[in-house]
Amino acid sequence: MRYDCVIIGSGVAGYPAAVLLAREGHKVAVIEEKLIGGECTNYGCVPSKSLYMVAEAFRSLKKVGAEIRADWKEITKFVERVVDESRKGIEYLLEKHDVEIIESKGRLASSKQIKTDKGTIEAEKIVLALGTDPKPLPNINFDNDVVSNREIFYVDEKPERLLVVGGGVIGVEVSNIFAQLGTEVILVEAMEHILPFLDKDVAIIMRRYLKDNGVRIKERVVVKNIEKKDGKLVVELPNNEILTVDKALVSIGRIPKTKGIGLENAGIEVDQYGFIKVDKFYRTTNTNIYAVGDVVGGPLLAHKAMLESIAAYRNIVGKEPITLNYSLVPQTIFSGLELSWIGYTEKELRSKKVSYKKIKLPISYLSAVRIKDSKYSYVKLLLSEEKQQILGIHIVAPNASEVISSFIPFIIERIDLKKIAETPYPHLTISEIVREVAEYIIGEPIHTILKHI
Amino acid sequence: MRYDCVIIGSGVAGYPAAVLLAREGHKVAVIEEKLIGGECTNYGCVPSKSLYMVAEAFRSLKKVGAEIRADWKEITKFVERVVDESRKGIEYLLEKHDVEIIESKGRLASSKQIKTDKGTIEAEKIVLALGTDPKPLPNINFDNDVVSNREIFYVDEKPERLLVVGGGVIGVEVSNIFAQLGTEVILVEAMEHILPFLDKDVAIIMRRYLKDNGVRIKERVVVKNIEKKDGKLVVELPNNEILTVDKALVSIGRIPKTKGIGLENAGIEVDQYGFIKVDKFYRTTNTNIYAVGDVVGGPLLAHKAMLESIAAYRNIVGKEPITLNYSLVPQTIFSGLELSWIGYTEKELRSKKVSYKKIKLPISYLSAVRIKDSKYSYVKLLLSEEKQQILGIHIVAPNASEVISSFIPFIIERIDLKKIAETPYPHLTISEIVREVAEYIIGEPIHTILKHI
């Protein structure tokens, strides 16, 4: 069989390009060895945010001292239902656009040939949207009890005690979710602080919030060993410290899924970490073959992968290319007290030797913040020296995941802050901070006591 | 006593001007006859959104079949705590800026004189931020059982059956909150449909959502009488229909609080509905006296009032004026399935004879929508004929209250939609619709089956 384009992988990096190409009449196939929708839909964003919704409800009701009796099986059924619907949505989209779905592993045989369980197929262009696998601890394989993001949202029983190894985004999100649901969570991070890629002042607020919500955090600690004993996991930490837990989530990193794909048959190179090397058009070292999404590295985020998929499509059909500015990809940690940022961190600006002004704007006076959690919230602004440009913005607040998008136009266009300060933003929302930030930069904030007073 | 400026009313229309004036060294007093913070803080947005958070948690947990045991007293204690903190926040702000708070009713004696319980005070400038009172049903006074927004969020016991009279914003929000919390709610609206000021296609989605959540809705129905009997309310509807309920919320409109203020002593005129007439500088017919907020009419919204308060301050001190475009004030109904809009409705465009293109973009494919409620959500875009300008946007979706702010820059500035379509918006959020809307207008949506396919 011969196709105009074959895409290996049906996740967020794969299906957008497939849909866009097929819509224009190209003959397109998607090869998927597991579940349509890939990591995000089946094991990542979708199940985690479904469970997060439940965790948020628990968190809300704690404030009014309510008792909740929830059946864990019903909760996971809900998660499965949402995942199932999302997966079927993508299947429908592919089918409706006449994209052929080939259920198989795909292996490159040459620049234009892919071996599948259904025989070898030919493709004018190939897009690799292979994704990543979770990285295991050294010498400890994943199993029913030492799990990754692939299993944690679907476990048969809610663990009474959960060890989370790795305080990155997944580790922090899972710690918060299970802590809210009543599990005793111990979060272990090897580096100086959790979320080590973030500025310390932001990371320690998250540390404080998680601790206040019952998560035990151990930083600068490495798990030495995990053994099974009497249906439990016995975890060995430094200084002979022993923990006994029911489950362990390992979230210490990702491994690009490039093994056994036949990259060598097409002359495709990978970098030192195994990520596929691409140029700014997402072409691999074999210019007939594109690679997008997590497998090319950068921020491992669904929305970044989707834009790369669109970019690959545009380059394949010869439309005007898209150039993504990776430092401007908004990021979010969905953790009750949410953390969202866009632009640069202080660490990044310092390493680039860019001078900046830092403004920390407390926002606990906002009623929306008060209702959902008052004491931790603030906005950190990193402005250019002359205060004309926002270099980075960090929002530490409930619902920050939605609010960060309000700042996107400020980063990609020049927005007149005076106009924003003079525009009513809806009360009672967290988004009121947008106007407040504009007011603050201009110098006339209502809710902030200025220093000279 | 003599002041540079006296503000009557400490609500969202009052305190911002007070703070801004006092910060510049003006001698400022605020006269408040009841509670600092006014209607929004004490009886409106703040208690309703506190209770709404609890209602949303109930709604979430229904999806997983959880049982909740919550003590109503604990819930109202939480509401009171948030309101108390918000009120104290405003008090702190006023005190910190040396604004004098005079606890009294204020009554104009002349252009520059106000009578208070503590004697007559003099003011160079006066700002009237008087607010509104709830409008009662004809011949039926408010009491312990027939209540307004002043009492409904603080009732001693959660009503088993609640009648809501008036399907405007307050009526719909209260209906949703109590229905989620387990009260049987009957919502009665006199006009053709609830939310009569909105386009029918939007209003009927809310009707469907509320019905699906257990609210009984009666449209084109007027309450004829309410009588007390055996501790219950017996409600008479047309056609001899009788309802028995525990409480009735009357939310049929507002009355500007202009009685007994001595407007006549300063030559201040009101319009046919009793709202104070102001010019574009918020000066009343006595140019020494300003009026802002609900008492001048327009959308009765906290964020509109706050901007008017800022505008009054600017005009008093002779700074560059602010001109609010009232058709661009974003509005929100906080009702689980939230409804937010900015710009014009179809009704408004038709009455202005502006031609427009209407686009209804279903967004139930978005995972964030799926998780929080899939079947009702959509975005309605009203575009100028050549599709270059967004005339109006309606978001019908969970969390729409936060998402609408992401569209504000699109309305007040010219944003390049192509740039937006090429910018990753964070997954998994409702705000992803911003990029999807941009993509859709440009003509390359990924998640929408285009008609010609």
Side-chain angles (χ1 to χ4, degrees):
Chain A
M1 199 56 143
R2 201 180 163 78
Y3 297 90
D4 294 327
C5 185
V6 172
I7 295 161
I8 309 183
S10 67
V12 278
Y15 80 80
V19 166
L20 292 167
L21 286 163
R23 185 183 284 158
E24 291 188 1
H26 299 286
K27 192 167 156 63
V28 181
V30 165
I31 299 176
E32 176 56 61
E33 64 173 321
K34 288 181 182 162
L35 294 168
I36 292 287
E39 197 80 5
C40 165
T41 301
N42 297 290
Y43 309 117
C45 328
V46 177
S48 76
K49 267 80 234 178
S50 303
L51 200 51
Y52 176 55
M53 186 202 73
V54 180
E56 277 294 88
F58 272 66
R59 192 168 78 89
S60 294
L61 292 182
K62 265 173 221 160
K63 294 181 201 296
V64 297
E67 268 176 56
I68 302 166
R69 281 179 52 187
D71 181 347
W72 179 252
K73 292 232 178 328
E74 291 298 320
I75 294 177
T76 49
K77 252 191 235 167
F78 164 72
V79 173
E80 282 164 10
R81 195 164 63 238
V82 177
V83 169
D84 206 49
E85 283 174 11
S86 294
R87 188 167 51 226
K88 287 200 174 115
I90 297 171
E91 280 169 7
Y92 173 80
L93 209 55
L94 292 173
E95 283 163 15
K96 202 77 185 170
H97 285 88
D98 292 325
V99 174
E100 192 167 332
I101 299 172
I102 301 171
E103 291 173 42
S104 168
K105 193 169 167 72
R107 191 182 149 82
L108 295 169
S110 73
S111 292
K112 297 195 173 186
Q113 286 178 309
I114 303 167
K115 280 190 186 161
T116 77
D117 299 347
K118 279 115 192 171
T120 297
I121 59 176
E122 308 233 336
E124 274 308 303
K125 299 283 178 191
I126 296 169
V127 178
L128 303 177
L130 303 165
T132 60
D133 281 320
K135 184 174 171 180
L137 282 167
N139 305 318
I140 303 171
N141 289 331
F142 288 118
D143 59 22
N144 264 336
D145 299 310
V146 179
V147 303
S148 72
N149 63 298
R150 302 256 169 93
E151 298 83 17
I152 190 67
F153 306 117
Y154 302 107
V155 288
D156 284 343
E157 282 176 50
K158 191 180 74 178
E160 281 187 32
R161 294 190 95 199
L162 172 68
L163 171 73
V164 174
V165 188
V169 177
I170 296 174
V172 165
E173 291 191 357
V174 168
S175 294
N176 172 64
I177 287 172
F178 279 88
Q180 301 301 347
L181 295 175
T183 291
E184 194 186 334
V185 179
I186 305 108
L187 171 58
V188 174
E189 165 59 46
M191 307 285 277
E192 187 199 348
H193 56 75
I194 59 166
L195 304 171
F197 48 89
L198 284 179
D199 292 331
K200 189 170 178 181
D201 57 350
V202 175
I204 62 174
I205 295 283
M206 183 54 70
R207 179 208 280 159
R208 188 149 69 90
Y209 163 81
L210 288 176
K211 281 190 174 176
D212 289 353
N213 280 272
V215 178
R216 279 169 59 196
I217 299 181
K218 292 170 178 287
E219 291 162 331
R220 298 179 197 260
V221 168
V222 174
V223 171
K224 294 177 76 175
N225 197 21
I226 301 180
E227 274 181 14
K228 296 201 186 190
K229 201 176 164 188
D230 306 333
K232 302 271 183 188
L233 296 175
V234 179
V235 183
E236 192 187 336
L237 301 180
N239 301 319
N240 300 319
E241 194 181 347
I242 300 291
L243 292 173
T244 307
V245 298
D246 302 301
K247 294 268 179 205
L249 169 82
V250 177
S251 50
I252 57 169
R254 312 291 302 178
I255 303 169
K257 286 169 76 172
T258 48
K259 292 268 165 66
I261 302 294
L263 297 185
E264 61 287 359
N265 300 329
I268 296 174
E269 290 173 19
V270 298
D271 71 11
Q272 55 179 322
Y273 307 104
F275 292 107
I276 295 176
K277 287 186 193 173
V278 288
D279 65 13
K280 65 176 178 171
F281 301 107
Y282 302 99
R283 288 180 306 202
T284 65
T285 42
N286 179 330
T287 53
N288 198 53
I289 301 177
Y290 295 73
V292 289
D294 289 358
V295 82
V296 304
L300 305 186
L301 295 166
H303 44 294
K304 168 265 196 189
M306 184 173 289
L307 262 287
E308 288 180 343
S309 191
I310 297 171
Y313 145 75
R314 297 180 72 91
N315 295 329
I316 287 170
V317 300
K319 289 197 174 183
E320 198 189 333
I322 295 177
T323 307
L324 279 182
N325 182 343
Y326 287 94
S327 69
L328 299 186
V329 175
Q331 304 204 36
T332 281
I333 302 172
F334 297 82
S335 41
L337 178 77
E338 295 183 342
L339 223 161
S340 289
W341 66 101
I342 185 169
Y344 297 99
T345 60
E346 290 184 75
K347 275 182 193 170
E348 287 166 341
L349 291 172
R350 279 196 301 263
S351 78
K352 283 174 180 289
K353 301 206 188 323
V354 174
S355 62
Y356 60 92
K357 284 223 185 309
K358 170 175 167 176
I359 291 172
K360 276 179 102 162
L361 192 63
I363 52 170
S364 52
Y365 56 82
L366 277 179
S367 298
V369 174
R370 250 188 246 285
I371 289 169
K372 297 199 169 176
D373 245 319
S374 64
K375 57 185 174 176
Y376 318 92
S377 293
Y378 71 95
V379 175
K380 182 165 91 167
L381 287 165
L382 304 175
L383 303 175
S384 60
E385 276 293 347
E386 72 295 354
K387 288 192 181 182
Q388 288 305 300
Q389 213 193 325
I390 298 176
L391 302 173
I393 182 157
H394 291 70
I395 305 175
V396 183
N399 239 339
S401 55
E402 297 289 359
V403 179
I404 193 73
S405 291
S406 282
F407 286 98
I408 290 178
F410 294 73
I411 304 273
I412 64 172
E413 302 260 20
R414 281 260 162 161
I415 307 282
D416 182 351
L417 291 182
K418 205 171 148 289
K419 272 195 196 168
I420 294 292
E422 294 175 1
T423 299
Y425 273 65
H427 190 60
L428 185 159
T429 65
I430 310 279
S431 303
E432 291 179 75
I433 61 171
V434 181
R435 206 188 66 78
E436 306 266 343
V437 161
E439 239 180 9
Y440 190 87
I441 296 176
I442 288 169
E444 289 194 343
I446 290 167
H447 293 103
T448 310
I449 314 292
L450 295 178
K451 286 226 174 82
H452 61 267
I453 290 173
Chain B
M1 200 54 143
R2 202 181 164 77
Y3 297 90
D4 295 325
C5 185
V6 172
I7 295 162
I8 308 183
S10 66
V12 278
Y15 80 81
V19 166
L20 292 167
L21 286 162
R23 186 183 283 157
E24 292 188 1
H26 300 286
K27 193 167 155 64
V28 181
V30 166
I31 299 176
E32 176 56 61
E33 63 172 322
K34 288 178 181 164
L35 295 168
I36 293 286
E39 198 79 6
C40 165
T41 301
N42 297 289
Y43 309 117
C45 328
V46 177
S48 77
K49 267 82 236 175
S50 303
L51 200 51
Y52 176 55
M53 185 202 72
V54 180
E56 277 292 89
F58 273 67
R59 191 167 78 88
S60 295
L61 291 182
K62 264 174 220 156
K63 294 182 201 295
V64 297
E67 268 177 55
I68 302 166
R69 282 178 53 187
D71 181 347
W72 180 251
K73 293 232 179 329
E74 290 298 319
I75 294 176
T76 50
K77 248 191 238 170
F78 164 72
V79 172
E80 281 164 11
R81 194 165 62 238
V82 177
V83 170
D84 206 51
E85 283 174 11
S86 294
R87 188 166 51 228
K88 288 200 174 118
I90 297 171
E91 280 169 7
Y92 172 80
L93 209 53
L94 291 172
E95 283 163 14
K96 202 78 186 169
H97 285 88
D98 292 324
V99 174
E100 191 167 333
I101 298 172
I102 300 172
E103 291 174 40
S104 168
K105 194 170 166 69
R107 192 181 148 83
L108 294 169
S110 74
S111 291
K112 297 197 174 186
Q113 287 180 309
I114 302 168
K115 281 190 186 161
T116 76
D117 299 348
K118 280 115 194 173
T120 297
I121 59 177
E122 310 233 335
E124 274 309 302
K125 299 283 179 191
I126 296 169
V127 179
L128 304 176
L130 303 165
T132 60
D133 281 321
K135 184 175 173 180
L137 282 167
N139 305 319
I140 302 171
N141 290 331
F142 288 118
D143 60 21
N144 263 336
D145 298 313
V146 179
V147 303
S148 72
N149 63 298
R150 302 257 169 92
E151 298 84 17
I152 191 65
F153 306 116
Y154 303 106
V155 288
D156 284 342
E157 281 176 52
K158 190 180 75 179
E160 279 186 32
R161 294 190 93 199
L162 172 67
L163 172 72
V164 174
V165 188
V169 177
I170 296 173
V172 165
E173 290 191 358
V174 169
S175 293
N176 172 65
I177 286 172
F178 279 89
Q180 301 301 348
L181 295 175
T183 290
E184 193 185 334
V185 179
I186 305 107
L187 171 57
V188 175
E189 165 60 46
M191 308 285 277
E192 186 199 347
H193 57 73
I194 59 166
L195 306 171
F197 48 89
L198 284 180
D199 292 330
K200 190 170 176 180
D201 57 351
V202 175
I204 62 174
I205 294 282
M206 184 54 70
R207 179 209 278 159
R208 187 148 70 89
Y209 163 81
L210 288 175
K211 281 189 174 176
D212 289 352
N213 280 273
V215 178
R216 279 170 59 196
I217 299 182
K218 293 171 177 287
E219 290 163 330
R220 297 178 197 260
V221 168
V222 174
V223 171
K224 294 176 77 175
N225 198 20
I226 301 180
E227 275 182 14
K228 296 202 185 187
K229 203 176 163 187
D230 306 333
K232 301 272 184 189
L233 296 174
V234 179
V235 182
E236 193 188 336
L237 301 180
N239 302 320
N240 301 319
E241 192 181 348
I242 300 291
L243 291 174
T244 307
V245 298
D246 301 302
K247 294 271 178 202
L249 170 82
V250 178
S251 50
I252 58 170
R254 311 292 302 179
I255 303 169
K257 287 169 76 169
T258 48
K259 293 267 165 67
I261 302 293
L263 297 185
E264 61 287 359
N265 300 330
I268 295 173
E269 291 173 21
V270 298
D271 72 11
Q272 55 179 321
Y273 307 104
F275 291 107
I276 296 176
K277 288 186 194 172
V278 288
D279 64 12
K280 65 175 177 169
F281 301 107
Y282 303 99
R283 288 181 306 203
T284 65
T285 42
N286 179 329
T287 54
N288 198 53
I289 301 177
Y290 294 73
V292 289
D294 289 358
V295 82
V296 305
L300 306 187
L301 295 167
H303 44 294
K304 168 265 198 191
M306 184 173 289
L307 262 287
E308 288 180 344
S309 191
I310 297 170
Y313 145 76
R314 296 180 72 91
N315 295 329
I316 288 169
V317 299
K319 289 197 175 184
E320 198 190 332
I322 295 178
T323 308
L324 279 183
N325 181 342
Y326 287 93
S327 69
L328 299 187
V329 175
Q331 304 204 36
T332 282
I333 302 172
F334 296 83
S335 41
L337 179 76
E338 295 183 342
L339 223 161
S340 289
W341 66 100
I342 184 168
Y344 297 99
T345 61
E346 288 185 76
K347 276 182 192 169
E348 287 166 341
L349 291 173
R350 280 196 300 264
S351 78
K352 282 174 180 290
K353 301 207 188 322
V354 175
S355 62
Y356 61 92
K357 285 223 184 310
K358 170 175 165 175
I359 291 172
K360 277 180 101 161
L361 191 63
I363 53 171
S364 52
Y365 58 81
L366 277 179
S367 298
V369 174
R370 250 188 246 285
I371 289 170
K372 296 200 170 176
D373 244 320
S374 64
K375 57 185 176 178
Y376 316 94
S377 294
Y378 71 95
V379 175
K380 182 165 89 166
L381 286 167
L382 304 175
L383 302 176
S384 60
E385 277 293 347
E386 72 297 352
K387 290 193 181 179
Q388 288 305 301
Q389 212 192 327
I390 297 176
L391 302 172
I393 181 158
H394 291 68
I395 305 175
V396 183
N399 239 338
S401 55
E402 297 289 357
V403 179
I404 194 72
S405 292
S406 281
F407 286 98
I408 290 178
F410 293 72
I411 304 274
I412 64 173
E413 302 260 20
R414 283 258 162 163
I415 307 282
D416 182 350
L417 291 182
K418 205 170 146 291
K419 270 195 197 167
I420 295 293
E422 295 176 0
T423 300
Y425 273 65
H427 190 61
L428 184 159
T429 65
I430 309 280
S431 303
E432 290 179 76
I433 62 171
V434 180
R435 206 188 65 79
E436 305 267 343
V437 160
E439 239 181 7
Y440 191 88
I441 297 176
I442 288 170
E444 290 193 342
I446 290 168
H447 293 103
T448 310
I449 312 292
L450 294 178
K451 286 227 175 77
H452 61 268
I453 290 175

